[in-house]
Amino acid sequence: MLSGFHLCCSLPAFIIYGLVFQVHKLLSAPLNVTGSPGPITVAMGEDVVLPCSFSLEQIMQDTEVTWFREQFSPFVHRYKGGQDQYGEQMLQYQGRTKLLKDGLASGKVDLKIFRVQLSDRGNYTCFVHHGSSYDDAVVELKVTASGSAPLIMLEHYQDGGIRVACRSTGWYPQPRVLWQDPHGRHLPSLSETVTQDNSRLFAVESSIIVTRGVTQKLSCSVRHALHSQEKRSAFYISDPFFQNAQPWMTALSVVLVAVVALLVSAVYLFKIKGKHEKKIAMQEAALRDRDAEIGKQAQELAWRRYAAPIEEVKVVLDPDTAHCDLVLSDDCKTVKREDTRQDMLDIPERFNPWRCVLGCEGFTSGRYYWEVEVVDRGGWTVGVSREDVKRKGDIEFKPEEGIWAVGQWAGQFQALTSPDRTLLPEIQTPKRIRVSLDYEEGRVAFFSVDEEIPIFTFPRASFEGIKVHPWVWLGPGTWLKMWP
């Protein structure tokens, strides 16, 4: 009787305990964010949806979702506190993005981009943050453009036939041009040119010589690889057009003979004058060579003055500061972003959520330099940071926050200046960068080891006696190596 009474009284408590345990287990489950298993392809001008979902079903008012590209801020789209946030949205996406809220209850945070542009192509990161849990996933967007129907142009007579050109514009990615006979067999082209306009769209032109016979009826088609889209134009040249092919060549020969005779006469008449002008030209060339040599020496002196500070530093990366997605080599000289979270304690020194790492040694005086090699190229930045730089949460990469850096950021090579970034389009993105630090002068400078030219020098700064460390940030798929 006592045992039955005990079971009866314990049963409600047991049920309540079980429910509480299951809720706690659900709330403490790890956050797992997934995107698309493969690239998303869309035609330019159309709308596209980038998929993203997370496993932990929580109240969305407590969940922050940020879609970004190479940089966390400015972002592509942000949802926080149950509302869309537009204060720091990238200019090119303003008025063109929408978080599809119909799927929020089931953990879907898909992003819709309206009127896709060619510049929208690339990797997008879906970053979900809830309480102390966070995770992200990368979605690749490919953009295509189908150009104009091929324009057929009869250019001139050549080699006993008629030279015909096929031209089409407004394609992306680069298309192929194919010539075909009436039976669908491909014919080799005589020449082919490919150009890109300011919008990065491709224009192609291909030429072929048509002779009398079965090749009088042909077609030209243009297609690109991502979609099996094709645009075709066919044409036919009748026999009368070929009757003038050879006479035209004869007339051309007569004209060429006349032109050659005139050229010979001109050379004879200006022979004496030419000798005098040649002498003057040689003197001017000698002066230009001398000026160029002086300029080269001055440039070399500038390179040596700034690119070769007093002391070369052997940078060793500090594993205690490395984000848990970064994998360091045994000698801590190379670092690779794996996007596979390692089992590490989230100590105060460690960067989180930004994929950054510092050098072990810091400097409070002197002049130093070291080099960084970019082995695999995703997004990346290299430079220096103060020891008191923010390690947790949102970080703005700019001198006011204690970071001086350059790199491949948001798809462009630039210096991370403030308030606006400084684009460096005239500099070819280097494979190896030299970082130069003059602590007393407050100068941070960067040089291309590939080209042996200066890249960028930040305005003078005051480090205020705080240690300054080597610093790098890695985007998806990037691997950096420290030299020496």
mmCIF file with all atom_site columns, all heavy atoms in Angstrom, residues 299-319:
data_model
loop_
_atom_site.group_PDB
_atom_site.id
_atom_site.type_symbol
_atom_site.label_atom_id
_atom_site.label_alt_id
_atom_site.label_comp_id
_atom_site.label_asym_id
_atom_site.label_entity_id
_atom_site.label_seq_id
_atom_site.pdbx_PDB_ins_code
_atom_site.Cartn_x
_atom_site.Cartn_y
_atom_site.Cartn_z
_atom_site.occupancy
_atom_site.B_iso_or_equiv
_atom_site.pdbx_formal_charge
_atom_site.auth_seq_id
_atom_site.auth_comp_id
_atom_site.auth_asym_id
_atom_site.auth_atom_id
_atom_site.pdbx_PDB_model_num
ATOM 1   N N   . GLN A 1 299 ? 63.621 55.065 -57.545 1.00 0.00 ? 299 GLN A N   1
ATOM 2   C CA  . GLN A 1 299 ? 62.595 54.117 -57.100 1.00 0.00 ? 299 GLN A CA  1
ATOM 3   C C   . GLN A 1 299 ? 63.215 52.999 -56.271 1.00 0.00 ? 299 GLN A C   1
ATOM 4   O O   . GLN A 1 299 ? 62.657 52.550 -55.266 1.00 0.00 ? 299 GLN A O   1
ATOM 5   C CB  . GLN A 1 299 ? 61.869 53.554 -58.320 1.00 0.00 ? 299 GLN A CB  1
ATOM 6   C CG  . GLN A 1 299 ? 60.575 52.863 -57.998 1.00 0.00 ? 299 GLN A CG  1
ATOM 7   C CD  . GLN A 1 299 ? 59.835 52.452 -59.254 1.00 0.00 ? 299 GLN A CD  1
ATOM 8   O OE1 . GLN A 1 299 ? 60.410 51.861 -60.163 1.00 0.00 ? 299 GLN A OE1 1
ATOM 9   N NE2 . GLN A 1 299 ? 58.556 52.763 -59.300 1.00 0.00 ? 299 GLN A NE2 1
ATOM 10  N N   . GLU A 1 300 ? 64.380 52.531 -56.699 1.00 0.00 ? 300 GLU A N   1
ATOM 11  C CA  . GLU A 1 300 ? 65.068 51.472 -55.965 1.00 0.00 ? 300 GLU A CA  1
ATOM 12  C C   . GLU A 1 300 ? 65.479 51.941 -54.576 1.00 0.00 ? 300 GLU A C   1
ATOM 13  O O   . GLU A 1 300 ? 65.365 51.221 -53.582 1.00 0.00 ? 300 GLU A O   1
ATOM 14  C CB  . GLU A 1 300 ? 66.301 51.028 -56.757 1.00 0.00 ? 300 GLU A CB  1
ATOM 15  C CG  . GLU A 1 300 ? 67.145 49.959 -56.065 1.00 0.00 ? 300 GLU A CG  1
ATOM 16  C CD  . GLU A 1 300 ? 66.416 48.631 -55.966 1.00 0.00 ? 300 GLU A CD  1
ATOM 17  O OE1 . GLU A 1 300 ? 65.418 48.441 -56.679 1.00 0.00 ? 300 GLU A OE1 1
ATOM 18  O OE2 . GLU A 1 300 ? 66.854 47.793 -55.164 1.00 0.00 ? 300 GLU A OE2 1
ATOM 19  N N   . LEU A 1 301 ? 65.938 53.221 -54.485 1.00 0.00 ? 301 LEU A N   1
ATOM 20  C CA  . LEU A 1 301 ? 66.306 53.764 -53.179 1.00 0.00 ? 301 LEU A CA  1
ATOM 21  C C   . LEU A 1 301 ? 65.085 53.858 -52.270 1.00 0.00 ? 301 LEU A C   1
ATOM 22  O O   . LEU A 1 301 ? 65.164 53.558 -51.071 1.00 0.00 ? 301 LEU A O   1
ATOM 23  C CB  . LEU A 1 301 ? 66.937 55.150 -53.362 1.00 0.00 ? 301 LEU A CB  1
ATOM 24  C CG  . LEU A 1 301 ? 68.350 55.167 -53.975 1.00 0.00 ? 301 LEU A CG  1
ATOM 25  C CD1 . LEU A 1 301 ? 68.801 56.609 -54.219 1.00 0.00 ? 301 LEU A CD1 1
ATOM 26  C CD2 . LEU A 1 301 ? 69.353 54.452 -53.086 1.00 0.00 ? 301 LEU A CD2 1
ATOM 27  N N   . ALA A 1 302 ? 63.940 54.275 -52.859 1.00 0.00 ? 302 ALA A N   1
ATOM 28  C CA  . ALA A 1 302 ? 62.708 54.345 -52.057 1.00 0.00 ? 302 ALA A CA  1
ATOM 29  C C   . ALA A 1 302 ? 62.300 52.975 -51.565 1.00 0.00 ? 302 ALA A C   1
ATOM 30  O O   . ALA A 1 302 ? 61.885 52.787 -50.426 1.00 0.00 ? 302 ALA A O   1
ATOM 31  C CB  . ALA A 1 302 ? 61.582 54.971 -52.884 1.00 0.00 ? 302 ALA A CB  1
ATOM 32  N N   . TRP A 1 303 ? 62.391 51.963 -52.449 1.00 0.00 ? 303 TRP A N   1
ATOM 33  C CA  . TRP A 1 303 ? 62.066 50.586 -52.062 1.00 0.00 ? 303 TRP A CA  1
ATOM 34  C C   . TRP A 1 303 ? 62.947 50.110 -50.914 1.00 0.00 ? 303 TRP A C   1
ATOM 35  O O   . TRP A 1 303 ? 62.488 49.552 -49.931 1.00 0.00 ? 303 TRP A O   1
ATOM 36  C CB  . TRP A 1 303 ? 62.200 49.677 -53.277 1.00 0.00 ? 303 TRP A CB  1
ATOM 37  C CG  . TRP A 1 303 ? 62.277 48.223 -52.919 1.00 0.00 ? 303 TRP A CG  1
ATOM 38  C CD1 . TRP A 1 303 ? 63.372 47.438 -52.848 1.00 0.00 ? 303 TRP A CD1 1
ATOM 39  C CD2 . TRP A 1 303 ? 61.177 47.362 -52.576 1.00 0.00 ? 303 TRP A CD2 1
ATOM 40  N NE1 . TRP A 1 303 ? 63.046 46.163 -52.485 1.00 0.00 ? 303 TRP A NE1 1
ATOM 41  C CE2 . TRP A 1 303 ? 61.710 46.079 -52.317 1.00 0.00 ? 303 TRP A CE2 1
ATOM 42  C CE3 . TRP A 1 303 ? 59.802 47.553 -52.463 1.00 0.00 ? 303 TRP A CE3 1
ATOM 43  C CZ2 . TRP A 1 303 ? 60.906 45.008 -51.964 1.00 0.00 ? 303 TRP A CZ2 1
ATOM 44  C CZ3 . TRP A 1 303 ? 59.017 46.476 -52.105 1.00 0.00 ? 303 TRP A CZ3 1
ATOM 45  C CH2 . TRP A 1 303 ? 59.573 45.225 -51.866 1.00 0.00 ? 303 TRP A CH2 1
ATOM 46  N N   . ARG A 1 304 ? 64.247 50.353 -51.046 1.00 0.00 ? 304 ARG A N   1
ATOM 47  C CA  . ARG A 1 304 ? 65.162 49.890 -49.998 1.00 0.00 ? 304 ARG A CA  1
ATOM 48  C C   . ARG A 1 304 ? 64.949 50.655 -48.695 1.00 0.00 ? 304 ARG A C   1
ATOM 49  O O   . ARG A 1 304 ? 65.076 50.100 -47.612 1.00 0.00 ? 304 ARG A O   1
ATOM 50  C CB  . ARG A 1 304 ? 66.606 50.043 -50.463 1.00 0.00 ? 304 ARG A CB  1
ATOM 51  C CG  . ARG A 1 304 ? 66.964 49.096 -51.603 1.00 0.00 ? 304 ARG A CG  1
ATOM 52  C CD  . ARG A 1 304 ? 68.413 49.261 -52.028 1.00 0.00 ? 304 ARG A CD  1
ATOM 53  N NE  . ARG A 1 304 ? 68.744 48.363 -53.112 1.00 0.00 ? 304 ARG A NE  1
ATOM 54  C CZ  . ARG A 1 304 ? 69.087 47.082 -52.964 1.00 0.00 ? 304 ARG A CZ  1
ATOM 55  N NH1 . ARG A 1 304 ? 69.126 46.580 -51.741 1.00 0.00 ? 304 ARG A NH1 1
ATOM 56  N NH2 . ARG A 1 304 ? 69.360 46.326 -53.997 1.00 0.00 ? 304 ARG A NH2 1
ATOM 57  N N   . ARG A 1 305 ? 64.619 51.966 -48.797 1.00 0.00 ? 305 ARG A N   1
ATOM 58  C CA  . ARG A 1 305 ? 64.435 52.768 -47.588 1.00 0.00 ? 305 ARG A CA  1
ATOM 59  C C   . ARG A 1 305 ? 63.249 52.269 -46.753 1.00 0.00 ? 305 ARG A C   1
ATOM 60  O O   . ARG A 1 305 ? 63.318 52.141 -45.540 1.00 0.00 ? 305 ARG A O   1
ATOM 61  C CB  . ARG A 1 305 ? 64.211 54.228 -47.989 1.00 0.00 ? 305 ARG A CB  1
ATOM 62  C CG  . ARG A 1 305 ? 63.658 55.114 -46.866 1.00 0.00 ? 305 ARG A CG  1
ATOM 63  C CD  . ARG A 1 305 ? 64.658 55.274 -45.723 1.00 0.00 ? 305 ARG A CD  1
ATOM 64  N NE  . ARG A 1 305 ? 64.132 56.158 -44.714 1.00 0.00 ? 305 ARG A NE  1
ATOM 65  C CZ  . ARG A 1 305 ? 63.309 55.805 -43.741 1.00 0.00 ? 305 ARG A CZ  1
ATOM 66  N NH1 . ARG A 1 305 ? 62.927 54.549 -43.651 1.00 0.00 ? 305 ARG A NH1 1
ATOM 67  N NH2 . ARG A 1 305 ? 62.887 56.681 -42.864 1.00 0.00 ? 305 ARG A NH2 1
ATOM 68  N N   . TYR A 1 306 ? 62.122 51.960 -47.448 1.00 0.00 ? 306 TYR A N   1
ATOM 69  C CA  . TYR A 1 306 ? 60.907 51.607 -46.711 1.00 0.00 ? 306 TYR A CA  1
ATOM 70  C C   . TYR A 1 306 ? 60.682 50.109 -46.597 1.00 0.00 ? 306 TYR A C   1
ATOM 71  O O   . TYR A 1 306 ? 60.079 49.639 -45.658 1.00 0.00 ? 306 TYR A O   1
ATOM 72  C CB  . TYR A 1 306 ? 59.702 52.270 -47.376 1.00 0.00 ? 306 TYR A CB  1
ATOM 73  C CG  . TYR A 1 306 ? 59.692 53.753 -47.211 1.00 0.00 ? 306 TYR A CG  1
ATOM 74  C CD1 . TYR A 1 306 ? 60.017 54.583 -48.272 1.00 0.00 ? 306 TYR A CD1 1
ATOM 75  C CD2 . TYR A 1 306 ? 59.367 54.323 -45.988 1.00 0.00 ? 306 TYR A CD2 1
ATOM 76  C CE1 . TYR A 1 306 ? 60.010 55.960 -48.117 1.00 0.00 ? 306 TYR A CE1 1
ATOM 77  C CE2 . TYR A 1 306 ? 59.364 55.694 -45.826 1.00 0.00 ? 306 TYR A CE2 1
ATOM 78  C CZ  . TYR A 1 306 ? 59.681 56.510 -46.889 1.00 0.00 ? 306 TYR A CZ  1
ATOM 79  O OH  . TYR A 1 306 ? 59.674 57.867 -46.741 1.00 0.00 ? 306 TYR A OH  1
ATOM 80  N N   . ALA A 1 307 ? 61.158 49.342 -47.569 1.00 0.00 ? 307 ALA A N   1
ATOM 81  C CA  . ALA A 1 307 ? 60.878 47.911 -47.550 1.00 0.00 ? 307 ALA A CA  1
ATOM 82  C C   . ALA A 1 307 ? 61.925 47.124 -46.782 1.00 0.00 ? 307 ALA A C   1
ATOM 83  O O   . ALA A 1 307 ? 61.761 45.941 -46.565 1.00 0.00 ? 307 ALA A O   1
ATOM 84  C CB  . ALA A 1 307 ? 60.781 47.378 -48.973 1.00 0.00 ? 307 ALA A CB  1
ATOM 85  N N   . ALA A 1 308 ? 63.011 47.755 -46.409 1.00 0.00 ? 308 ALA A N   1
ATOM 86  C CA  . ALA A 1 308 ? 64.057 47.041 -45.683 1.00 0.00 ? 308 ALA A CA  1
ATOM 87  C C   . ALA A 1 308 ? 64.339 47.744 -44.357 1.00 0.00 ? 308 ALA A C   1
ATOM 88  O O   . ALA A 1 308 ? 65.357 48.414 -44.202 1.00 0.00 ? 308 ALA A O   1
ATOM 89  C CB  . ALA A 1 308 ? 65.330 46.969 -46.518 1.00 0.00 ? 308 ALA A CB  1
ATOM 90  N N   . PRO A 1 309 ? 63.394 47.665 -43.398 1.00 0.00 ? 309 PRO A N   1
ATOM 91  C CA  . PRO A 1 309 ? 63.659 48.271 -42.091 1.00 0.00 ? 309 PRO A CA  1
ATOM 92  C C   . PRO A 1 309 ? 64.844 47.599 -41.405 1.00 0.00 ? 309 PRO A C   1
ATOM 93  O O   . PRO A 1 309 ? 65.455 46.679 -41.936 1.00 0.00 ? 309 PRO A O   1
ATOM 94  C CB  . PRO A 1 309 ? 62.353 48.026 -41.324 1.00 0.00 ? 309 PRO A CB  1
ATOM 95  C CG  . PRO A 1 309 ? 61.338 47.762 -42.385 1.00 0.00 ? 309 PRO A CG  1
ATOM 96  C CD  . PRO A 1 309 ? 62.096 47.084 -43.483 1.00 0.00 ? 309 PRO A CD  1
ATOM 97  N N   . ILE A 1 310 ? 65.109 48.054 -40.179 1.00 0.00 ? 310 ILE A N   1
ATOM 98  C CA  . ILE A 1 310 ? 66.344 47.648 -39.514 1.00 0.00 ? 310 ILE A CA  1
ATOM 99  C C   . ILE A 1 310 ? 66.368 46.158 -39.227 1.00 0.00 ? 310 ILE A C   1
ATOM 100 O O   . ILE A 1 310 ? 67.368 45.490 -39.450 1.00 0.00 ? 310 ILE A O   1
ATOM 101 C CB  . ILE A 1 310 ? 66.519 48.450 -38.203 1.00 0.00 ? 310 ILE A CB  1
ATOM 102 C CG1 . ILE A 1 310 ? 66.715 49.941 -38.531 1.00 0.00 ? 310 ILE A CG1 1
ATOM 103 C CG2 . ILE A 1 310 ? 67.690 47.924 -37.396 1.00 0.00 ? 310 ILE A CG2 1
ATOM 104 C CD1 . ILE A 1 310 ? 66.776 50.834 -37.314 1.00 0.00 ? 310 ILE A CD1 1
ATOM 105 N N   . GLU A 1 311 ? 65.259 45.606 -38.763 1.00 0.00 ? 311 GLU A N   1
ATOM 106 C CA  . GLU A 1 311 ? 65.294 44.226 -38.274 1.00 0.00 ? 311 GLU A CA  1
ATOM 107 C C   . GLU A 1 311 ? 64.220 43.373 -38.940 1.00 0.00 ? 311 GLU A C   1
ATOM 108 O O   . GLU A 1 311 ? 63.060 43.762 -39.011 1.00 0.00 ? 311 GLU A O   1
ATOM 109 C CB  . GLU A 1 311 ? 65.086 44.208 -36.752 1.00 0.00 ? 311 GLU A CB  1
ATOM 110 C CG  . GLU A 1 311 ? 65.219 42.815 -36.145 1.00 0.00 ? 311 GLU A CG  1
ATOM 111 C CD  . GLU A 1 311 ? 65.114 42.835 -34.639 1.00 0.00 ? 311 GLU A CD  1
ATOM 112 O OE1 . GLU A 1 311 ? 65.164 43.939 -34.057 1.00 0.00 ? 311 GLU A OE1 1
ATOM 113 O OE2 . GLU A 1 311 ? 64.970 41.749 -34.047 1.00 0.00 ? 311 GLU A OE2 1
ATOM 114 N N   . GLU A 1 312 ? 64.640 42.209 -39.431 1.00 0.00 ? 312 GLU A N   1
ATOM 115 C CA  . GLU A 1 312 ? 63.708 41.250 -39.998 1.00 0.00 ? 312 GLU A CA  1
ATOM 116 C C   . GLU A 1 312 ? 63.172 40.362 -38.873 1.00 0.00 ? 312 GLU A C   1
ATOM 117 O O   . GLU A 1 312 ? 63.927 39.868 -38.034 1.00 0.00 ? 312 GLU A O   1
ATOM 118 C CB  . GLU A 1 312 ? 64.415 40.400 -41.047 1.00 0.00 ? 312 GLU A CB  1
ATOM 119 C CG  . GLU A 1 312 ? 63.532 39.380 -41.719 1.00 0.00 ? 312 GLU A CG  1
ATOM 120 C CD  . GLU A 1 312 ? 64.309 38.541 -42.710 1.00 0.00 ? 312 GLU A CD  1
ATOM 121 O OE1 . GLU A 1 312 ? 65.451 38.153 -42.385 1.00 0.00 ? 312 GLU A OE1 1
ATOM 122 O OE2 . GLU A 1 312 ? 63.779 38.273 -43.789 1.00 0.00 ? 312 GLU A OE2 1
ATOM 123 N N   . VAL A 1 313 ? 61.846 40.168 -38.841 1.00 0.00 ? 313 VAL A N   1
ATOM 124 C CA  . VAL A 1 313 ? 61.200 39.421 -37.766 1.00 0.00 ? 313 VAL A CA  1
ATOM 125 C C   . VAL A 1 313 ? 60.740 38.066 -38.274 1.00 0.00 ? 313 VAL A C   1
ATOM 126 O O   . VAL A 1 313 ? 60.175 37.961 -39.362 1.00 0.00 ? 313 VAL A O   1
ATOM 127 C CB  . VAL A 1 313 ? 59.976 40.198 -37.215 1.00 0.00 ? 313 VAL A CB  1
ATOM 128 C CG1 . VAL A 1 313 ? 59.281 39.401 -36.127 1.00 0.00 ? 313 VAL A CG1 1
ATOM 129 C CG2 . VAL A 1 313 ? 60.416 41.543 -36.682 1.00 0.00 ? 313 VAL A CG2 1
ATOM 130 N N   . LYS A 1 314 ? 61.013 37.034 -37.496 1.00 0.00 ? 314 LYS A N   1
ATOM 131 C CA  . LYS A 1 314 ? 60.483 35.705 -37.800 1.00 0.00 ? 314 LYS A CA  1
ATOM 132 C C   . LYS A 1 314 ? 59.173 35.545 -37.034 1.00 0.00 ? 314 LYS A C   1
ATOM 133 O O   . LYS A 1 314 ? 59.162 35.285 -35.844 1.00 0.00 ? 314 LYS A O   1
ATOM 134 C CB  . LYS A 1 314 ? 61.483 34.624 -37.399 1.00 0.00 ? 314 LYS A CB  1
ATOM 135 C CG  . LYS A 1 314 ? 62.775 34.666 -38.207 1.00 0.00 ? 314 LYS A CG  1
ATOM 136 C CD  . LYS A 1 314 ? 63.720 33.541 -37.827 1.00 0.00 ? 314 LYS A CD  1
ATOM 137 C CE  . LYS A 1 314 ? 64.984 33.580 -38.672 1.00 0.00 ? 314 LYS A CE  1
ATOM 138 N NZ  . LYS A 1 314 ? 65.924 32.494 -38.336 1.00 0.00 ? 314 LYS A NZ  1
ATOM 139 N N   . VAL A 1 315 ? 58.070 35.717 -37.741 1.00 0.00 ? 315 VAL A N   1
ATOM 140 C CA  . VAL A 1 315 ? 56.755 35.725 -37.107 1.00 0.00 ? 315 VAL A CA  1
ATOM 141 C C   . VAL A 1 315 ? 56.297 34.295 -36.816 1.00 0.00 ? 315 VAL A C   1
ATOM 142 O O   . VAL A 1 315 ? 56.303 33.436 -37.699 1.00 0.00 ? 315 VAL A O   1
ATOM 143 C CB  . VAL A 1 315 ? 55.716 36.441 -37.988 1.00 0.00 ? 315 VAL A CB  1
ATOM 144 C CG1 . VAL A 1 315 ? 54.323 36.322 -37.376 1.00 0.00 ? 315 VAL A CG1 1
ATOM 145 C CG2 . VAL A 1 315 ? 56.090 37.905 -38.166 1.00 0.00 ? 315 VAL A CG2 1
ATOM 146 N N   . VAL A 1 316 ? 55.926 34.061 -35.573 1.00 0.00 ? 316 VAL A N   1
ATOM 147 C CA  . VAL A 1 316 ? 55.311 32.801 -35.150 1.00 0.00 ? 316 VAL A CA  1
ATOM 148 C C   . VAL A 1 316 ? 53.895 33.133 -34.672 1.00 0.00 ? 316 VAL A C   1
ATOM 149 O O   . VAL A 1 316 ? 53.708 34.024 -33.836 1.00 0.00 ? 316 VAL A O   1
ATOM 150 C CB  . VAL A 1 316 ? 56.124 32.123 -34.022 1.00 0.00 ? 316 VAL A CB  1
ATOM 151 C CG1 . VAL A 1 316 ? 55.405 30.873 -33.536 1.00 0.00 ? 316 VAL A CG1 1
ATOM 152 C CG2 . VAL A 1 316 ? 57.520 31.786 -34.508 1.00 0.00 ? 316 VAL A CG2 1
ATOM 153 N N   . LEU A 1 317 ? 52.896 32.453 -35.204 1.00 0.00 ? 317 LEU A N   1
ATOM 154 C CA  . LEU A 1 317 ? 51.509 32.741 -34.876 1.00 0.00 ? 317 LEU A CA  1
ATOM 155 C C   . LEU A 1 317 ? 51.130 32.164 -33.514 1.00 0.00 ? 317 LEU A C   1
ATOM 156 O O   . LEU A 1 317 ? 51.616 31.105 -33.116 1.00 0.00 ? 317 LEU A O   1
ATOM 157 C CB  . LEU A 1 317 ? 50.588 32.179 -35.962 1.00 0.00 ? 317 LEU A CB  1
ATOM 158 C CG  . LEU A 1 317 ? 50.822 32.751 -37.363 1.00 0.00 ? 317 LEU A CG  1
ATOM 159 C CD1 . LEU A 1 317 ? 49.953 32.037 -38.384 1.00 0.00 ? 317 LEU A CD1 1
ATOM 160 C CD2 . LEU A 1 317 ? 50.546 34.249 -37.391 1.00 0.00 ? 317 LEU A CD2 1
ATOM 161 N N   . ASP A 1 318 ? 50.261 32.878 -32.815 1.00 0.00 ? 318 ASP A N   1
ATOM 162 C CA  . ASP A 1 318 ? 49.872 32.518 -31.444 1.00 0.00 ? 318 ASP A CA  1
ATOM 163 C C   . ASP A 1 318 ? 48.602 31.663 -31.482 1.00 0.00 ? 318 ASP A C   1
ATOM 164 O O   . ASP A 1 318 ? 47.513 32.173 -31.776 1.00 0.00 ? 318 ASP A O   1
ATOM 165 C CB  . ASP A 1 318 ? 49.626 33.792 -30.642 1.00 0.00 ? 318 ASP A CB  1
ATOM 166 C CG  . ASP A 1 318 ? 49.355 33.507 -29.170 1.00 0.00 ? 318 ASP A CG  1
ATOM 167 O OD1 . ASP A 1 318 ? 49.274 32.310 -28.807 1.00 0.00 ? 318 ASP A OD1 1
ATOM 168 O OD2 . ASP A 1 318 ? 49.218 34.466 -28.400 1.00 0.00 ? 318 ASP A OD2 1
ATOM 169 N N   . PRO A 1 319 ? 48.683 30.362 -31.185 1.00 0.00 ? 319 PRO A N   1
ATOM 170 C CA  . PRO A 1 319 ? 47.487 29.499 -31.245 1.00 0.00 ? 319 PRO A CA  1
ATOM 171 C C   . PRO A 1 319 ? 46.415 29.894 -30.239 1.00 0.00 ? 319 PRO A C   1
ATOM 172 O O   . PRO A 1 319 ? 45.251 29.588 -30.444 1.00 0.00 ? 319 PRO A O   1
ATOM 173 C CB  . PRO A 1 319 ? 48.052 28.105 -30.969 1.00 0.00 ? 319 PRO A CB  1
ATOM 174 C CG  . PRO A 1 319 ? 49.350 28.316 -30.272 1.00 0.00 ? 319 PRO A CG  1
ATOM 175 C CD  . PRO A 1 319 ? 49.904 29.607 -30.807 1.00 0.00 ? 319 PRO A CD  1
#
